[in-house]
Structure formats: C-alpha cells, structure tokens
Amino acid sequence: MRAKTAVVLGAQWGDEGKGKIVDVLSERFSAVARYAGGHNAGHTVIICGQRFVLQLIPCGMLRPGCKGIIGNGVVLDPIAFLKEVAKLRALGVGVDEQLFVSNRAQVILPYHRMIELAEESAPGRKKIGTTSRGIGPAYEDKMARSGLRVVDLLRPDLLKTHIEAACGEKNAIARALFGTDPLDPAKMYDEYAAAAEQVRPFVADTGRLLNTILAEGGSVMFEGAQGTMLDIDHGTYPFVTSSSATAGGAATGTGVGPTAIGTVISVTKAYVTRVGEGPFPTEIHDAAGEELRARGKEYGAVTGRPRRCGWLDIPLLRYSNQVNGAEWLVVTKLDVLDELAEIPICIGYEIGGKVTDEIPADVQGLEQIKPRYTALKGWREPTEGITEFEKLPLAAREYLRFQERESGARIGMVSTGPDRDQTMVLPEFAAALDRIHA
C-alpha cells in the first residue's frame, strides 16, 4: 500500500502557483509541511477574492483543522514568522491550534541579512539576484556547523553567548570586506530573546509529529518552495537558492523517510517565468514577453520584482520531472494564453551546432542554448473559470496533451484563474487523491 503522502513542488524557477495548488489539495490532508527555504518564498492564495500571501507558513493552514508544519529544512526568521502569525491570527486563521515549528530548524539573525546584502552590493561580485533576507548565509552557517537552531533560540544563556560570538566574527568580516557598520549584539539579544518566548508555544519535534500522523492513518502533503531549477544541486548553479527544492528535500527537510513518499506532483505554468539573474533559454525579449507579464500579473509576491517571461521549455520540464520522479503534472495560468493565435513551445536545444535535449550542467552551456521551437495553434477563446476538461477549447486541450506526452508526467489538474474555485481536477487524478485520503 502506498504511503498517504504527496510532495507538491515547482517544475521551473518558482512562482508556478504552488500556493494555490497546495491550498486546493489541502482539504484532503491532515497536515501540510514546508521542507525548505525561508521567508524568501511567496505563496499566494486567493479565496473568494481575498488574497493571502504566505512566506514561511504552509498554505494548508488556511484550511480549518489542517496542521501546518515548518520543517527542520527551513531557515526561520523569528521576527518575520511572528509578523506572519499576527496577520493570520487577525484574519481568524487557527495558527495557535494548527501551527508547529521544528525545534531543529535553523534561525536567521540580523547578521545574516547584513552579510548577504553586503555581498550582493559589493563592486565586482557576481550578482545572484537574492532577496537579501539572509537565507544563503543562514544555510552557510548551518553547513559550517556554526548556526543557531530553534531549540537553541529558546535557551537565553546559549542565545546570548551565540550572538556575542557571531557578531564579533560577522562584524569584523563585514567591516573588513564591505565597510559595513557593526551590529549591536546587546540590542540583538534583547529583541530575539523576547521573540523566542513568542515562538516557544509553536515549537515541537515535528519529525516525530509527522511520523505519528502517518502511523495513525493520517495523510501529509510536503510543500516545496522556489522551484526545481533553483535547487542547490540540480538547478542552474550558481544562480540557485541555498536549499534542496526538489522532492528529495522533503525527506531530509522534515524527518520523514523517503520510503514514506507516496507521489510527487509537479506544478508548471503554461509558459515559464524567472525572477532575478541567471540563464533562461526560452526568455522572450520582445513585446510578447511584456504581454505575458501584463496578462499573468507576473510580479514577485514577496519582492514585487517583475518576472522574466518565456515560452514553455519541454526539455527543462522533462528534466525536472526526471529529477523529482514526478508522477503528476499541474498546469497553471492556462488562461493567460487565451488571446494568442499561435503558441511557441521549445522542443529541443542547439548547442555549438549540435541538437540535444540534455540540460547542460554549467552556466556557459546554458547560455549557449539556441531553443528549437514548434508552434501549436492558439484557441483565442476565454478559458478563465472553466472547471471541466472537456469544456476547454479543442486547441487548449491539445496544448495540454502535448505537454503531457512530452514531459513524462500525467496532467492531474489545470488552473484557469487565480481563485481557489477556478481549478479543474481530472478524474484519474481525483481517483488517485481519493486513494491517498482513504
């Protein structure tokens, strides 16, 4: 019998609409667990016209009774966390009953932001395009075994000692390399010791909690952040995030073993977007890209940065599904393509005069890609709000079936608008979800 779990993740560079999909699916799960990233991730959910933007807290929290779990693979900024909790509490969301934070999660402190901002702003350094929220430096400290975990945050004596030592080191580095003004360790300690007491009620051994839920017959959805092509190992390195955004991160980032992963659901837009720096083979550099950005409202949920837009990239999608072992594909923002008479799709690459569908491992190789396109007929009919596959225009159905045939994963859901209700679930996918929920 397959485990009653599913991983939901992004197939490209993030911003695929995972938040909405997690929210739609969460009614079928006992708990939703975030396993990577920090408050650099922005998941937008629209329910009956009301817009929720979640950065750290799992989207499943918007369902009454569904537990939200921040796993050990996440880096937690206590101040950002408490601000988000306060907003949800004011909206009547049951954070105090439903939300749990791993005692093993790493903590982001102000010197992490100082270091990241200084590095990104330094003359002559390659800009990655980070959000400058301290995510990368916090993961660096984690791997250097010099970080502070949530369990340590709750011990005032250890917190004080850690902040004093870390500030001594980080202030010296920032001053020497970047000329940055030093941070005050005493002020930092007072602020974070107070925050720790507000975080304390949420802290638990979440690995134990998740395994208990499964042992007692419950179901768990693992919520990814960012996207596959931003994964630290499998993405477009070095223009990546600092954590494991792929399906493998669900096990290491929560404490639930890999044999307990039941299925992987990969979310892709009907086209592709990317925020920040880095290679993007199918990026559109003319008015068509501006039109997609305008129709799709392609601006970052956290930063407001305009997203770069491009045509669907089949080799990239196939690679992503392979890396994740994706069984199901969810296609979002189909309605954004409604006005196009013809829709290009990248079906292969040409690199140095050779035709290939292999994703180069190096940036130079990625930048040398010349996409090879085919064009599918557009439908030029409105699809927004359609919730039955057979009611879609024929050309829209053919566009989706082409993705399915070429990507190696079956289409299970299609989003035809931003609201929770503007979603279609295909019968075979609904049956698979029923088996998980049973």
Side-chain angles (χ1 to χ4, degrees):
M1 181 178 176
R2 298 184 72 178
K4 298 168 73 170
T5 61
V7 180
V8 177
L9 48 76
Q12 288 117 1
W13 285 284
D15 307 309
E16 298 93 350
K18 298 181 295 298
K20 172 187 171 175
I21 302 309
V22 169
D23 171 67
V24 169
L25 294 176
S26 60
E27 66 176 341
R28 298 172 178 265
F29 289 85
S30 311
V32 177
R34 265 282 300 275
Y35 62 83
H39 64 305
N40 57 337
H43 292 174
T44 303
V45 178
I46 299 176
I47 304 171
C48 299
Q50 185 173 11
R51 187 170 184 262
F52 298 83
V53 178
L54 304 177
Q55 297 177 23
L56 272 167
I57 295 175
C59 297
M61 282 290 304
L62 301 177
R63 295 278 186 182
C66 181
K67 290 183 173 63
I69 292 169
I70 296 175
N72 58 274
V74 174
V75 285
L76 184 98
D77 182 322
I79 306 300
F81 169 77
L82 292 171
K83 286 179 179 177
E84 197 168 337
V85 164
K87 287 181 181 178
L88 291 178
R89 195 180 276 142
L91 292 169
V93 178
V95 284
D96 297 294
E97 300 79 29
Q98 296 171 236
L99 182 59
F100 302 86
V101 175
S102 172
N103 52 11
R104 291 175 169 84
Q106 294 280 320
V107 176
I108 297 174
L109 288 162
Y111 51 76
H112 291 127
R113 294 192 295 275
M114 174 184 70
I115 293 290
E116 185 169 33
L117 185 61
E119 287 178 342
E120 277 286 285
S121 306
R125 291 179 69 96
K126 181 185 290 186
K127 294 188 185 301
I128 302 297
T130 74
T131 58
S132 297
R133 298 191 174 207
I135 310 297
Y139 277 114
E140 287 178 31
D141 279 0
K142 175 181 180 176
M143 293 306 176
R145 295 164 293 179
S146 60
L148 184 83
R149 299 192 299 172
V150 169
V151 68
D152 307 317
L153 178 72
L154 304 182
R155 287 184 51 189
D157 56 335
L158 198 154
L159 176 63
K160 184 176 178 64
T161 302
H162 181 92
I163 285 177
E164 288 174 350
C167 279
E169 176 189 332
K170 308 294 185 183
N171 281 338
I173 291 171
R175 185 168 56 249
L177 295 181
F178 311 114
T180 303
D181 292 335
L183 296 171
D184 180 353
K187 181 181 177 182
M188 190 186 304
Y189 169 75
D190 289 342
E191 182 180 12
Y192 280 80
E197 292 310 308
Q198 296 180 65
V199 172
R200 187 183 295 276
F202 299 99
V203 178
D205 183 341
T206 55
R208 180 183 176 89
L209 175 59
L210 286 166
N211 281 290
T212 299
I213 290 170
L214 292 173
E216 293 178 350
S219 54
V220 175
M221 177 164 47
F222 301 98
E223 178 182 343
Q226 287 87 38
T228 298
M229 301 310 295
L230 290 175
D231 183 87
I232 186 67
D233 290 297
H234 302 288
T236 49
Y237 190 89
F239 299 97
V240 293
T241 193
S242 299
S243 59
S244 297
T246 47
T252 57
T254 63
V256 174
T259 55
I261 305 298
T263 191
V264 177
I265 302 165
S266 181
V267 184
T268 172
K269 279 178 181 161
Y271 48 100
V272 187
T273 61
R274 176 166 197 165
V275 172
E277 305 296 326
F280 186 176
T282 64
E283 184 172 8
I284 308 167
H285 297 284
D286 58 22
E290 294 294 335
E291 184 181 344
L292 279 183
R293 183 179 298 115
R295 282 186 53 79
K297 298 179 175 61
E298 296 295 354
Y299 298 90
V302 173
T303 63
R305 291 184 293 180
R307 296 172 184 147
R308 300 154 63 189
C309 296
W311 302 119
L312 188 67
D313 188 331
I314 291 294
L316 184 144
L317 185 56
R318 192 181 296 128
Y319 168 80
S320 173
N321 287 343
Q322 170 192 299
V323 165
N324 291 303
E327 183 177 10
W328 296 100
L329 197 63
V330 175
V331 180
T332 63
K333 293 201 170 183
L334 181 70
D335 55 300
V336 175
L337 304 181
D338 284 353
E339 296 183 2
L340 299 178
E342 189 176 79
I343 306 170
I345 300 181
C346 173
I347 56 171
Y349 302 147
E350 182 181 322
I351 304 174
K354 294 182 179 180
V355 175
T356 181
D357 63 357
E358 184 175 333
I359 306 293
D362 61 312
V363 168
Q364 186 177 13
L366 287 160
E367 291 173 342
Q368 290 175 351
I369 287 174
K370 294 181 180 179
R372 300 174 68 241
Y373 289 102
T374 190
L376 296 188
K377 183 180 178 182
W379 42 95
R380 310 203 83 174
E381 296 178 50
T383 62
E384 184 171 2
I386 294 177
T387 57
E388 295 178 39
F389 189 80
E390 295 306 321
K391 291 185 178 180
L392 288 171
L394 177 60
R397 282 180 271 152
E398 290 178 345
Y399 185 77
L400 292 167
R401 291 305 185 195
F402 184 89
Q403 289 184 58
E404 185 175 62
R405 289 194 303 272
E406 296 295 323
S407 72
R410 290 176 289 171
I411 290 180
M413 295 174 65
V414 181
S415 173
T416 55
D419 202 278
R420 177 188 275 177
D421 295 330
Q422 294 175 312
T423 312
M424 68 178 69
V425 180
L426 276 65
E428 55 269 33
F429 186 56
L433 291 175
D434 287 341
R435 288 192 294 273
I436 289 175
H437 191 58

